[in-house]
Amino acid sequence: MIFSTLDIIIFSSYCLLILCMGLFVSRSKKGVEKSAEDYFLAGKSLPWWAIGASLIAANISAEQFIGMTGSGFAIGLAIASYEWMAAITLLIVGKYFLPIFIEKGLYTIPQFIEKRFSANLKTILAIFWIALFVFVNLTSVLYLGAKALDTIVGTGDGSMLMKSIIGIALFAAAYSIWGGLSAVAWTDVVQVVLLVGGGLVTTFIALDTIAPDGGIINGFKYLYDQVPEKFSMILAEGEIITPNGKDAWWDLPGLSVLIGGMWVANLYYWGFNQYIIQRTLAAKSLKESQKGIAFAAFLKLLIPVIVVVPGIVAYLMNLDPNGEIGTLAAQNGFLNAEGTVTNDNAAPWLIKTLVPNGLRGLVLAALVAAIVSSLASMLNSTATIFTMDIFKPYINPNATSKQTVNVGRLTVAISLIIAVLIAPQLGNLGQAFQFIQEYTGLVSPGILAVFLMGLFVKKSTNNGAIWGVILSIPIALYFKVSPNEWSNAAIFVEIPFMQQMMITCLATLGIIYVISTLDKTDENRPIELKKSLFETSPTFNISAVIVCIITAVLYALFW
């Protein structure tokens, strides 16, 4: 892709602004040492609008910007359920989970497990989350982001992949290592404006391009008329076959999306994911944090316009005259060496093909903003969990604030180096968004069950929680085995992974309840819940009603 002087100026200005802003908010006051609360929770000083923007910036990474656009290409608008249902999930988290976390004065999600169950279970989950962040989240964000840059800026043959990985890593490290959550959250405000603005630019240009008479509204109408099947939110079995021949129902199984495993995925991600929930713990107050969550819920309703609609446009533009993905898609680089369709090329191809000089710098800045903001958030959260849940309790309980902060910075650097080394090995993930969701779904149901029981069922015990987490893995793996791979196929069943998640979560809840009921040990530390703890402001309540109405209308329109 050729970049004009204006593009280079815009992109360079973005990079300079983020670095300067990150370093500025990272500075320590003269004679005042940065404390652990300053580094890991931004001094508990974030206003609602910074929290809302930071939640979205942390969430919209390469996984969404690239992966979900790829799923829009392969499946269509149905993948938007992850975003629209997340808006309602955020409100549930703000109403019922967040008050407990803030009242307990948590730095990390594993600390809740220690207060409710035991230090041993907390440590197990802390180690799990560190491994998940480093080996799955950080590496996938680096790889997908670098792959997109290789396609847009380079030739798409992988020659720039490693350079892009290193460049993204160094950019994120430049301000996040030194400044902690404060630098991450305040730069996120700029990042989210860029990624929303740049994303909308790509969407509007794409819709205007496909409209026979031009215009954004005309483009959307034309898109809907040409590929109406791509606008079905609730999929029937066999309704949508992806370009690679897979029935999309196996990814989004009809009503199970609304009443099944999607709730498991969203409640786990938005309620008990350290790099998401950490910025809500850094608020000035509970009310301020809840307003931030409501703001993020409104933004989530907009995200499919940025990340899903462009994927559908790319699909339409790459159809052969016979209405199939084939020769034209191959010419545009959508077919890999194995002859399968690389859906995740949709976003880079659109940017490279449609966005004109003068706007490419803005769109590229938006893409990098999505990548870097999420990367910085994950790094800070990895450091927070290691420092507060591993280093302080087990390695140096008497560590000073300076030592604690330095260990956090060192953890960021080591985590980033490991992720940079692993990222190039990920190879071709196809639909990366679906890949990540499916394999995270092996562990998330059991962890969600532990938290739900710990929060709301007083008789839940430590032994019940430990056995629940342990047994949830073989239950989830049981559903991952294909009956076609075994001679004893009758003992296995093959169901969509969303249904797998819901069944695994319900089974784990049952296991925890039964073992806790039979457990006679005195390991129970119930959380006392006062009714007043869950009282919310009129602003939050009105916002919740509006978000729910908009979500219901969207599903009614595209049912």
Side-chain angles (χ1 to χ4, degrees):
M1 180 184 293
I2 298 173
F3 286 89
S4 67
T5 302
L6 181 58
D7 291 321
I8 296 172
I9 291 173
I10 291 173
F11 183 73
S12 300
S13 298
Y14 151 72
C15 294
L16 188 62
L17 174 63
I18 293 300
L19 286 176
C20 290
M21 187 175 181
L23 294 174
F24 177 77
V25 298
S26 302
R27 74 197 191 286
S28 299
K29 294 179 181 178
K30 192 173 182 179
V32 178
E33 188 177 275
K34 191 183 286 287
S35 67
E37 184 176 284
D38 292 331
Y39 189 79
F40 297 116
L41 292 181
K44 291 193 173 181
S45 62
L46 297 182
W48 66 268
W49 47 273
I51 292 168
S54 189
L55 281 169
I56 298 303
N59 168 239
I60 303 301
S61 65
E63 181 183 333
Q64 272 78 14
F65 216 110
I66 305 301
M68 190 170 273
T69 304
S71 292
F73 181 95
I75 297 173
L77 192 63
I79 200 70
S81 284
Y82 277 101
E83 305 302 312
W84 290 340
M85 288 183 65
I88 298 176
T89 306
L90 274 164
L91 300 172
I92 294 172
V93 170
K95 172 77 173 178
Y96 296 106
F97 300 167
L98 190 59
I100 300 173
F101 295 158
I102 289 182
E103 194 250 350
K104 295 299 176 185
L106 304 182
Y107 276 77
T108 70
I109 289 299
Q111 285 180 342
F112 170 80
I113 295 297
E114 181 178 29
K115 291 177 182 289
R116 178 60 179 85
F117 293 114
S118 69
N120 289 338
L121 183 55
K122 176 208 74 171
T123 304
I124 292 170
L125 292 183
I127 293 171
F128 158 75
W129 265 308
I130 290 170
L132 182 68
F133 286 161
V134 174
F135 295 104
V136 177
N137 296 114
L138 288 173
T139 53
S140 63
V141 168
L142 277 172
Y143 173 76
L144 284 172
K147 183 180 176 183
L149 292 179
D150 178 59
T151 303
I152 296 168
V153 181
T155 59
D157 61 357
S159 58
M160 284 190 61
L161 187 68
M162 196 62 202
K163 293 177 184 176
S164 298
I165 288 173
I166 294 172
I168 292 169
L170 290 176
F171 188 21
Y175 66 91
S176 62
I177 288 180
W178 187 257
L181 184 61
S182 181
V184 172
W186 286 109
T187 53
D188 278 351
V189 175
V190 177
Q191 310 266 41
V192 82
V193 171
L194 273 170
L195 71 89
V196 171
L200 287 175
V201 165
T202 304
T203 300
F204 292 162
I205 291 174
L207 290 173
D208 181 69
T209 299
I210 63 171
D213 300 320
I216 297 166
I217 302 300
N218 290 337
F220 188 82
K221 289 178 180 177
Y222 180 79
L223 184 66
Y224 184 84
D225 290 340
Q226 293 299 307
V227 285
E229 70 278 5
K230 291 289 186 179
F231 286 86
S232 177
M233 288 297 300
I234 306 300
L235 303 181
E237 192 168 0
E239 181 179 354
I240 294 288
I241 304 300
T242 70
N244 284 323
K246 181 182 179 182
D247 188 347
W249 179 83
W250 286 93
D251 291 328
L252 297 163
L255 285 174
S256 295
V257 173
L258 294 182
I259 59 177
M262 183 72 79
W263 287 107
V264 176
N266 276 340
L267 285 172
Y268 167 78
Y269 180 87
W270 293 102
F272 308 107
N273 186 340
Q274 178 67 26
Y275 79 82
I276 291 296
I277 208 72
Q278 187 169 340
R279 52 257 307 119
T280 66
L281 303 177
K284 295 177 179 178
S285 65
L286 173 60
K287 301 297 183 187
E288 199 77 3
S289 187
Q290 288 173 327
K291 284 194 288 185
I293 276 188
F295 177 44
F298 278 108
L299 290 176
K300 288 301 286 180
L301 297 176
L302 181 64
I303 298 303
V305 177
I306 298 169
V307 298
V308 180
V309 172
I312 303 175
V313 173
Y315 174 81
L316 176 62
M317 293 179 69
N318 282 276
L319 287 178
D320 286 340
N322 61 1
E324 296 180 355
I325 293 292
T327 306
L328 185 57
Q331 293 171 356
N332 291 329
F334 279 87
L335 295 187
N336 58 29
E338 289 76 34
T340 58
V341 178
T342 307
N343 302 297
D344 290 332
N345 276 355
W349 178 81
L350 274 176
I351 296 170
K352 192 171 186 176
T353 305
L354 300 184
V355 179
N357 286 335
L359 289 176
R360 287 175 178 172
L362 175 64
V363 173
L364 184 61
L367 176 61
V368 174
I371 298 164
V372 171
S373 59
S374 295
L375 195 63
S377 298
M378 293 171 188
L379 288 168
N380 184 259
S381 294
T382 304
T384 305
I385 292 178
F386 177 80
T387 305
M388 305 307 294
D389 294 325
I390 305 295
F391 174 75
K392 283 208 75 174
Y394 299 109
I395 299 174
N396 190 354
N398 300 315
T400 63
S401 289
K402 184 176 181 180
Q403 290 173 322
T404 303
V405 170
N406 286 339
V407 168
R409 289 169 176 159
L410 182 62
T411 304
V412 170
I414 293 173
S415 301
L416 193 56
I417 291 170
I418 294 172
V420 166
L421 294 174
I422 295 175
Q425 311 306 318
L426 292 186
N428 183 18
L429 295 180
Q431 281 188 73
F433 182 78
Q434 283 299 124
F435 175 88
I436 294 166
Q437 296 300 323
E438 188 162 347
Y439 284 92
T440 302
L442 286 175
V443 292
S444 57
I447 294 174
L448 175 63
V450 168
F451 275 99
L452 291 178
M453 294 294 285
L455 283 167
F456 302 115
V457 180
K458 288 186 176 182
K459 66 166 60 179
S460 302
T461 64
N462 181 56
N463 287 334
I466 290 176
W467 278 107
V469 168
I470 293 172
L471 293 178
S472 70
I473 302 298
I475 293 172
L477 288 174
Y478 165 77
F479 292 112
K480 292 299 294 179
V481 176
S482 172
N484 299 326
E485 298 173 2
W486 292 79
S487 55
N488 256 343
I491 67 171
F492 295 102
V493 294
E494 193 168 12
I495 59 175
F497 85 95
M498 275 201 183
Q499 295 177 2
Q500 297 170 19
M501 285 196 295
M502 177 55 81
I503 294 172
T504 302
C505 185
L506 292 175
T508 306
L509 289 170
I511 290 168
I512 296 172
Y513 182 83
V514 169
I515 293 178
S516 296
T517 301
L518 299 175
D519 191 4
K520 302 303 180 182
T521 62
D522 189 25
E523 293 182 278
N524 193 12
R525 309 175 187 174
I527 299 292
E528 296 298 326
L529 303 177
K530 299 177 182 178
K531 189 176 179 181
S532 59
L533 192 63
F534 302 109
E535 293 176 356
T536 48
S537 67
T539 302
F540 182 87
N541 295 336
I542 293 170
S543 299
V545 171
I546 295 172
V547 167
C548 290
I549 290 173
I550 293 174
T551 305
V553 169
L554 288 169
Y555 272 96
L557 285 173
F558 299 108
W559 187 271

